[in-house]
Amino acid sequence: MKTDIRNHLNVRAGLVMTVISATVFFPSCVTYYAVVPDIHPDGSMTRTVYADADSACLAGDLSSHPFLFEPGAGWETGRMPAPETRWFLDDSARLDFYARRTFQQYDSSYSDIPASEKYTALPYLRARERWDRKKGLFFNTYSYTCVVPGIADRMPVPPDSCMSGDEVDRWFRSAGSYPGMNGVEAYAGITELYDKYTEWVNVCYREQIYRIVCSDAGEELTDSLKDELMEWMGKHYDFYEDMFPVGDEAERKAISLMADIAGEMSRLSGSPAYADAAAVHAEAWREKISAMESSLTAPFFYAMMYQVRMPGRLTSANTDLMDDGFPVWKVDGYRLLAGDLTIEASSRQVRPLGFILLGLVILVSAAAFFRPRRQNNLN
């Protein structure tokens, strides 16, 4: 059953929901974009990206444009006639600026140029987009596909190390009776997975801290000792709830935490290498963890709402969400943790000329069939 996203707010208002925003992995400040691929009857496609621009950009300074990609040659940019508020399932965004470019039917080799080096690794700029038109006598059919690469393999530990494949899909892609939402957006509806989710976040931090300490110590624990360390860390630290907050006191606390973990590794192994490394590198470890956070969490600071528009009648779409009669998909870091995210839609448009030709053929055939019979009757 399709759900109109314009009515989604009414559904959402009746639910008890909490959006996670207080910890890393769950950024509270998300930049939203609306992406509208519009396929035309001739097979060309116009892609429009809507964003929220700052005052300098709205005043005409395009060097401060809000897009992740560089809208260079071939792109049209401009201020929208009036700002629009769009819903992103668990949040809304005010969009007031656009970038638009038209591509020919087979011009799908284009790739976005990152607007900044910090955007280079974002999965949204590596999406593989394809569209097509197939001509028929009576109908033209249109198809659109966009594959956004998953990011699970970029995590210190993949989510399926703590959840089953079905649980990963339920938490990151489909929260049961919450149309289009995932567990992060509506975790009150699938609380049995919330603990597994937070445990996965903790496991990611434990693994990354372990790797950092081992790197500077020049040694690694045996598998059994590593398991003991992970169990010990799980009892003493909850990185999901309280991970390296900012401030001088917090910095000292983080450095002390890293030194304690290294000390436990020396205690378990009987090797002083870990504790010795902490005496020299503990402060740098804090910086490494911060850099790791920035790298891993970058995709979670952005969310795209795709709305695919196609000629004729929509015949299929792998989404249950609609906006003004067009299918929509939300794409963000959480959904990409469940693997590649594929957007697919197809439509069919009637070709009146084909039916006119068919009618003419029928008329001519009928005339040819009945004319000899009339002549025979006259004779």
mmCIF file of all heavy atoms in Angstrom, residues 118 120 236 252 299:
data_model
loop_
_atom_site.group_PDB
_atom_site.id
_atom_site.type_symbol
_atom_site.label_atom_id
_atom_site.label_comp_id
_atom_site.label_asym_id
_atom_site.label_seq_id
_atom_site.Cartn_x
_atom_site.Cartn_y
_atom_site.Cartn_z
ATOM 1 N N LYS A 118 36.561 17.383 1.212
ATOM 2 C CA LYS A 118 35.949 16.645 2.316
ATOM 3 C C LYS A 118 34.723 15.851 1.876
ATOM 4 O O LYS A 118 34.254 14.971 2.591
ATOM 5 C CB LYS A 118 35.578 17.594 3.446
ATOM 6 C CG LYS A 118 34.459 18.577 3.111
ATOM 7 C CD LYS A 118 34.152 19.477 4.293
ATOM 8 C CE LYS A 118 33.018 20.451 3.979
ATOM 9 N NZ LYS A 118 32.692 21.315 5.155
ATOM 10 N N THR A 120 34.676 14.101 -1.032
ATOM 11 C CA THR A 120 35.113 13.142 -2.050
ATOM 12 C C THR A 120 34.629 11.723 -1.783
ATOM 13 O O THR A 120 34.223 11.004 -2.709
ATOM 14 C CB THR A 120 36.646 13.153 -2.162
ATOM 15 O OG1 THR A 120 37.076 14.480 -2.490
ATOM 16 C CG2 THR A 120 37.113 12.193 -3.228
ATOM 17 N N HIS A 236 32.809 -1.475 31.358
ATOM 18 C CA HIS A 236 33.288 -0.221 31.940
ATOM 19 C C HIS A 236 32.938 1.036 31.141
ATOM 20 O O HIS A 236 32.920 2.131 31.709
ATOM 21 C CB HIS A 236 34.810 -0.283 32.124
ATOM 22 C CG HIS A 236 35.247 -1.192 33.229
ATOM 23 N ND1 HIS A 236 35.313 -2.559 33.068
ATOM 24 C CD2 HIS A 236 35.630 -0.939 34.512
ATOM 25 C CE1 HIS A 236 35.717 -3.124 34.201
ATOM 26 N NE2 HIS A 236 35.914 -2.168 35.089
ATOM 27 N N ARG A 252 40.691 15.628 28.982
ATOM 28 C CA ARG A 252 41.475 14.906 29.990
ATOM 29 C C ARG A 252 40.831 13.556 30.299
ATOM 30 O O ARG A 252 41.540 12.553 30.480
ATOM 31 C CB ARG A 252 41.596 15.747 31.267
ATOM 32 C CG ARG A 252 42.525 16.954 31.116
ATOM 33 C CD ARG A 252 42.807 17.592 32.454
ATOM 34 N NE ARG A 252 41.636 18.289 32.967
ATOM 35 C CZ ARG A 252 41.359 19.570 32.701
ATOM 36 N NH1 ARG A 252 42.168 20.269 31.916
ATOM 37 N NH2 ARG A 252 40.297 20.145 33.191
ATOM 38 N N PRO A 299 28.761 10.476 6.227
ATOM 39 C CA PRO A 299 27.534 10.225 5.460
ATOM 40 C C PRO A 299 26.255 10.482 6.250
ATOM 41 O O PRO A 299 25.197 10.705 5.648
ATOM 42 C CB PRO A 299 27.648 8.736 5.091
ATOM 43 C CG PRO A 299 29.102 8.427 5.155
ATOM 44 C CD PRO A 299 29.613 9.266 6.290
#
